[in-house]
Amino acid sequence: MSLFAHYHECNGASSRDKINDALAGNLCRCTGYRPIVDAALEVCHGADDQFARNAAARRRAIAALDDKVDLFVGDERAFFCGAGERTITGATLRAASGRYHYRRRHRRRIVDHQETVADRKDYSCRPCRRACRNREDRRWFAFGAIVSLTRAAPVLGSIDPDITEVLRRFGSIQVRAAGTVGGNIANGSPIGDLAPMLIALGADVELRHGEKIRRLPLENFFLDYGKQDRGRGEFVRRLLVPKLPPATHFRAYKITKRFDEDISAVLAVLRLTVDGGRIADARVAFGGMAGIPKRAKTVEDNLRGLSLTDASRWRAAADAVAKDFTPLSDLRASAAYRSRVAGNLIIKAVAEIAGVNPAVTRLNDRRMVADAAE
């Protein structure tokens, strides 16, 4: 389906790199990449099939399905609804429902009362739907909870090219088109890619219950595995993400079993402020290292005051990972692997900021990613 969508969108101007991007983030492969990409190159020279020829009729048929009536499937015992003007008491709010379907299929967790947020009155306000610079304070970007990841990506990517690269490998194109910023935060996954990046940036989350709005640092929102600081009836309204201040360096590294894969084994994010060749301040966050996305405060303490020319002390900062985290072993990676990789990523970030040639440390140069985003 990813290749089918690319076939219809590329207008005959495809390439190996574009096809790899179209496939980035897909979860599985039955065979190698090369024959798949070769087959795509052979056919992606302009869409001419029944799907393209029937496009106008299909749009009319889809438009005709909208009868202006609120969706309600089921009964009082179990239902799925899209309530516009009304609110269903006790219903679980869903946006794209990606995490819910995973839990239902693989963990047999079923929620009987579900309400989609797409038409809810309290989600129809502009702050819930926009991804833009916050007009109230131009130092921040504001992302409404139901803004899709596709719409949020260029705004987030303008903060730093590493964010662009992480989001390129975030699910598939279809997932990013449907998945939402608020959904990725609210589900509390320990391997969700947005949370560690936003925590390192110093983002805040806004929660709403009725007319009451509460704001707190995003890092304080995650309490324990599957548990967030969210009261009964509260939902995620907005994410407020600060711009990078001067003399600040940002790095984000997504480690997966296969490079162009969605599921992270470790996600390391660093925001380092440099003054006079020394690290004056540090915010470091990890995903995949604990039951929640979490800051590495011992690592931060070891980085502050560190000279970028004193490579002998870089390892001490990296070894501090063991004091911040006791990771688990699972299908994605062993605990030992996670700890070793996390420490090495600390060294990698400091080395890059100190001036090591990115050709030594990167498959994709940060400048190339930035140029592609522009």
Side-chain angles (χ1 to χ4, degrees):
M1 291 306 299
S2 295
L3 287 178
F4 180 76
H6 177 69
Y7 168 69
H8 281 272
E9 291 176 349
C10 69
N11 296 318
S14 188
S15 67
R16 189 170 294 275
D17 286 342
K18 290 179 179 179
I19 291 168
N20 285 334
D21 280 347
L23 293 172
N26 277 268
L27 300 182
C28 59
R29 287 287 181 274
C30 296
T31 181
Y33 278 96
R34 188 186 59 77
I36 297 173
V37 176
D38 287 349
L41 282 171
E42 191 172 322
V43 299
C44 286
H45 48 68
D48 182 19
D49 59 9
Q50 182 175 336
F51 187 84
R53 291 190 291 271
N54 294 341
R58 185 170 58 257
R59 291 191 187 97
R60 290 193 298 270
I62 293 173
L65 294 174
D66 185 5
D67 57 7
K68 311 301 181 185
V69 176
D70 290 343
L71 172 68
F72 191 98
V73 179
D75 54 33
E76 292 183 356
R77 294 171 298 174
F79 60 76
F80 178 87
C81 67
E85 295 298 321
R86 58 179 175 156
T87 297
I88 308 299
T89 302
T92 299
L93 298 182
R94 301 288 174 199
S97 298
R99 189 69 178 172
Y100 166 72
H101 292 303
Y102 165 79
R103 287 172 175 164
R104 178 168 182 165
R105 289 184 60 191
H106 297 284
R107 298 188 179 181
R108 300 296 189 266
R109 294 181 182 176
I110 300 175
V111 177
D112 290 331
H113 303 98
Q114 300 181 67
E115 180 179 352
T116 177
V117 302
D119 299 317
R120 271 182 62 123
K121 187 176 181 180
D122 45 11
Y123 260 116
S124 63
C125 60
R126 293 180 71 189
C128 292
R129 296 178 177 272
R130 297 183 65 188
C132 64
R133 180 171 295 180
N134 188 359
R135 293 183 179 179
E136 303 156 21
D137 185 343
R138 292 185 177 273
R139 295 172 300 173
W140 297 72
F141 291 102
F143 296 87
I146 60 174
V147 171
S148 72
L149 295 162
T150 296
R151 287 182 56 204
V155 184
L156 282 168
S158 70
I159 298 174
D160 189 88
D162 272 9
I163 300 177
T164 298
E165 175 57 22
V166 170
L167 292 179
R168 186 187 70 84
R169 299 159 60 197
F170 190 122
S172 62
I173 292 173
Q174 299 95 316
V175 168
R176 296 195 298 271
T180 62
V181 170
N184 192 252
I185 297 300
N187 71 44
S189 170
I191 58 167
D193 289 339
L194 272 189
M197 293 194 292
L198 299 187
I199 288 172
L201 287 168
D204 288 351
V205 59
E206 275 188 0
L207 304 172
R208 178 175 175 176
H209 183 205
E211 297 304 315
K212 183 180 179 181
I213 295 173
R214 181 166 66 100
R215 177 171 170 175
L216 70 156
L218 180 59
E219 63 189 278
N220 296 341
F221 178 65
F222 304 101
L223 302 178
D224 201 348
Y225 181 75
K227 184 179 181 181
Q228 297 90 45
D229 181 3
R230 185 172 62 234
R232 183 175 177 82
E234 276 190 319
F235 59 84
V236 175
R237 177 179 184 257
R238 277 199 308 180
L239 279 300
L240 299 168
V241 184
K243 297 177 64 177
L244 287 177
T248 302
H249 300 263
F250 183 88
R251 293 294 187 274
Y253 306 115
K254 180 181 172 82
I255 305 300
T256 57
K257 280 190 172 182
R258 187 181 66 248
F259 182 73
D260 276 333
E261 184 182 8
D262 168 59
I263 302 175
S264 298
V266 176
L267 185 72
V269 193
L270 300 91
R271 194 191 80 173
L272 306 179
T273 303
V274 177
D275 184 13
R278 291 185 177 275
I279 298 174
D281 194 20
R283 284 182 67 94
V284 181
F286 280 93
M289 294 289 290
I292 56 174
K294 184 180 173 184
R295 280 178 68 180
K297 294 191 176 182
T298 309
V299 172
E300 293 174 356
D301 291 340
N302 278 267
L303 287 173
R304 293 188 185 98
L306 187 69
S307 172
L308 294 179
T309 60
D310 188 3
S312 62
R313 289 190 57 199
W314 296 357
R315 174 51 64 182
D319 290 343
V321 167
K323 297 181 180 180
D324 285 316
F325 301 101
T326 305
L328 298 176
S329 295
D330 57 25
L331 292 175
R332 292 181 292 274
S334 68
Y337 174 84
R338 284 188 162 104
S339 295
R340 175 65 64 86
V341 166
N344 288 345
L345 292 176
I346 299 296
I347 294 175
K348 175 177 178 173
V350 177
E352 287 184 359
I353 295 168
V356 171
N357 187 342
V360 176
T361 61
R362 295 271 180 157
L363 290 174
N364 290 332
D365 192 325
R366 281 168 50 85
R367 290 169 296 182
M368 293 171 58
V369 174
D371 291 344
E374 292 176 0

